mmCIF file of all heavy atoms in Angstrom:
data_model
loop_
_atom_site.group_PDB
_atom_site.id
_atom_site.type_symbol
_atom_site.label_atom_id
_atom_site.label_comp_id
_atom_site.label_asym_id
_atom_site.label_seq_id
_atom_site.Cartn_x
_atom_site.Cartn_y
_atom_site.Cartn_z
ATOM 1 N N PHE B 51 153.623 267.217 166.225
ATOM 2 C CA PHE B 51 153.740 266.918 164.789
ATOM 3 C C PHE B 51 152.379 267.008 164.097
ATOM 4 O O PHE B 51 152.236 267.646 163.049
ATOM 5 C CB PHE B 51 154.336 265.514 164.598
ATOM 6 C CG PHE B 51 154.306 265.027 163.169
ATOM 7 C CD1 PHE B 51 155.044 265.620 162.186
ATOM 8 C CD2 PHE B 51 153.467 263.975 162.837
ATOM 9 C CE1 PHE B 51 154.974 265.194 160.859
ATOM 10 C CE2 PHE B 51 153.383 263.537 161.510
ATOM 11 C CZ PHE B 51 154.151 264.134 160.529
ATOM 12 N N LEU B 52 151.340 266.390 164.710
ATOM 13 C CA LEU B 52 150.023 266.432 164.104
ATOM 14 C C LEU B 52 149.466 267.849 164.076
ATOM 15 O O LEU B 52 148.776 268.223 163.107
ATOM 16 C CB LEU B 52 149.067 265.480 164.819
ATOM 17 C CG LEU B 52 149.303 263.997 164.584
ATOM 18 C CD1 LEU B 52 148.137 263.188 165.100
ATOM 19 C CD2 LEU B 52 149.512 263.680 163.104
ATOM 20 N N THR B 53 149.750 268.627 165.119
ATOM 21 C CA THR B 53 149.287 270.017 165.123
ATOM 22 C C THR B 53 149.848 270.750 163.926
ATOM 23 O O THR B 53 149.171 271.489 163.227
ATOM 24 C CB THR B 53 149.724 270.718 166.439
ATOM 25 O OG1 THR B 53 149.223 269.985 167.542
ATOM 26 C CG2 THR B 53 149.202 272.141 166.514
ATOM 27 N N MET B 54 151.135 270.480 163.661
ATOM 28 C CA MET B 54 151.758 271.122 162.507
ATOM 29 C C MET B 54 151.135 270.622 161.203
ATOM 30 O O MET B 54 150.778 271.417 160.329
ATOM 31 C CB MET B 54 153.257 270.801 162.500
ATOM 32 C CG MET B 54 154.016 271.495 161.389
ATOM 33 S SD MET B 54 155.660 270.769 161.197
ATOM 34 C CE MET B 54 155.209 269.191 160.529
ATOM 35 N N ALA B 55 150.965 269.299 161.091
ATOM 36 C CA ALA B 55 150.403 268.723 159.864
ATOM 37 C C ALA B 55 148.983 269.211 159.638
ATOM 38 O O ALA B 55 148.529 269.320 158.495
ATOM 39 C CB ALA B 55 150.415 267.185 159.943
ATOM 40 N N PHE B 56 148.270 269.517 160.707
ATOM 41 C CA PHE B 56 146.900 269.993 160.584
ATOM 42 C C PHE B 56 146.853 271.518 160.363
ATOM 43 O O PHE B 56 145.793 272.115 160.391
ATOM 44 C CB PHE B 56 146.096 269.659 161.864
ATOM 45 C CG PHE B 56 145.693 268.199 161.974
ATOM 46 C CD1 PHE B 56 146.347 267.227 161.267
ATOM 47 C CD2 PHE B 56 144.628 267.851 162.803
ATOM 48 C CE1 PHE B 56 145.969 265.884 161.391
ATOM 49 C CE2 PHE B 56 144.244 266.514 162.910
ATOM 50 C CZ PHE B 56 144.911 265.523 162.215
ATOM 51 N N GLY B 57 148.014 272.103 160.178
ATOM 52 C CA GLY B 57 148.067 273.526 159.916
ATOM 53 C C GLY B 57 147.850 274.396 161.146
ATOM 54 O O GLY B 57 147.495 275.553 161.059
ATOM 55 N N GLY B 58 148.056 273.807 162.318
ATOM 56 C CA GLY B 58 147.811 274.538 163.572
ATOM 57 C C GLY B 58 149.037 275.311 164.041
ATOM 58 O O GLY B 58 150.088 275.274 163.405
ATOM 59 N N PRO B 59 148.918 275.962 165.191
ATOM 60 C CA PRO B 59 150.019 276.791 165.709
ATOM 61 C C PRO B 59 151.237 275.949 166.091
ATOM 62 O O PRO B 59 151.086 274.939 166.812
ATOM 63 C CB PRO B 59 149.425 277.448 166.960
ATOM 64 C CG PRO B 59 148.260 276.595 167.342
ATOM 65 C CD PRO B 59 147.764 275.984 166.076
ATOM 66 N N ASN B 60 152.390 276.307 165.616
ATOM 67 C CA ASN B 60 153.624 275.575 165.958
ATOM 68 C C ASN B 60 154.813 276.446 165.646
ATOM 69 O O ASN B 60 154.722 277.405 164.891
ATOM 70 C CB ASN B 60 153.712 274.270 165.192
ATOM 71 C CG ASN B 60 154.053 274.472 163.729
ATOM 72 O OD1 ASN B 60 155.221 274.511 163.357
ATOM 73 N ND2 ASN B 60 153.042 274.700 162.896
ATOM 74 N N ASN B 61 155.928 276.062 166.230
ATOM 75 C CA ASN B 61 157.168 276.812 165.983
ATOM 76 C C ASN B 61 158.247 275.904 165.491
ATOM 77 O O ASN B 61 159.437 276.159 165.750
ATOM 78 C CB ASN B 61 157.623 277.464 167.270
ATOM 79 C CG ASN B 61 156.808 278.713 167.570
ATOM 80 O OD1 ASN B 61 156.778 279.606 166.754
ATOM 81 N ND2 ASN B 61 156.132 278.737 168.683
ATOM 82 N N TYR B 62 157.895 274.820 164.820
ATOM 83 C CA TYR B 62 158.909 273.893 164.418
ATOM 84 C C TYR B 62 159.569 274.302 163.112
ATOM 85 O O TYR B 62 158.906 274.769 162.201
ATOM 86 C CB TYR B 62 158.354 272.460 164.290
ATOM 87 C CG TYR B 62 158.173 271.893 165.646
ATOM 88 C CD1 TYR B 62 156.955 272.039 166.332
ATOM 89 C CD2 TYR B 62 159.237 271.260 166.293
ATOM 90 C CE1 TYR B 62 156.816 271.530 167.607
ATOM 91 C CE2 TYR B 62 159.086 270.762 167.580
ATOM 92 C CZ TYR B 62 157.870 270.901 168.227
ATOM 93 O OH TYR B 62 157.738 270.434 169.484
ATOM 94 N N SER B 63 160.875 274.129 163.054
ATOM 95 C CA SER B 63 161.594 274.427 161.821
ATOM 96 C C SER B 63 162.198 273.135 161.307
ATOM 97 O O SER B 63 162.232 272.144 162.018
ATOM 98 C CB SER B 63 162.733 275.411 162.142
ATOM 99 O OG SER B 63 163.662 274.772 162.954
ATOM 100 N N GLY B 64 162.598 273.150 160.062
ATOM 101 C CA GLY B 64 163.222 271.985 159.474
ATOM 102 C C GLY B 64 164.417 271.526 160.282
ATOM 103 O O GLY B 64 164.689 270.349 160.445
ATOM 104 N N LYS B 65 165.159 272.523 160.833
ATOM 105 C CA LYS B 65 166.351 272.229 161.601
ATOM 106 C C LYS B 65 166.009 271.404 162.861
ATOM 107 O O LYS B 65 166.710 270.452 163.219
ATOM 108 C CB LYS B 65 167.018 273.545 161.998
ATOM 109 C CG LYS B 65 168.453 273.421 162.410
ATOM 110 C CD LYS B 65 169.060 274.822 162.537
ATOM 111 C CE LYS B 65 170.072 274.837 163.678
ATOM 112 N NZ LYS B 65 169.617 275.551 164.871
ATOM 113 N N ASP B 66 164.877 271.777 163.499
ATOM 114 C CA ASP B 66 164.417 271.011 164.685
ATOM 115 C C ASP B 66 164.167 269.559 164.311
ATOM 116 O O ASP B 66 164.541 268.644 165.010
ATOM 117 C CB ASP B 66 163.112 271.585 165.238
ATOM 118 C CG ASP B 66 163.283 272.971 165.814
ATOM 119 O OD1 ASP B 66 164.384 273.225 166.323
ATOM 120 O OD2 ASP B 66 162.321 273.769 165.784
#
Side-chain angles (χ1 to χ4, degrees):
Chain B
F51 170 68
L52 287 191
T53 302
M54 183 195 71
F56 284 21
N60 73 90
N61 281 303
Y62 284 91
S63 65
K65 197 170 146 253
D66 293 329

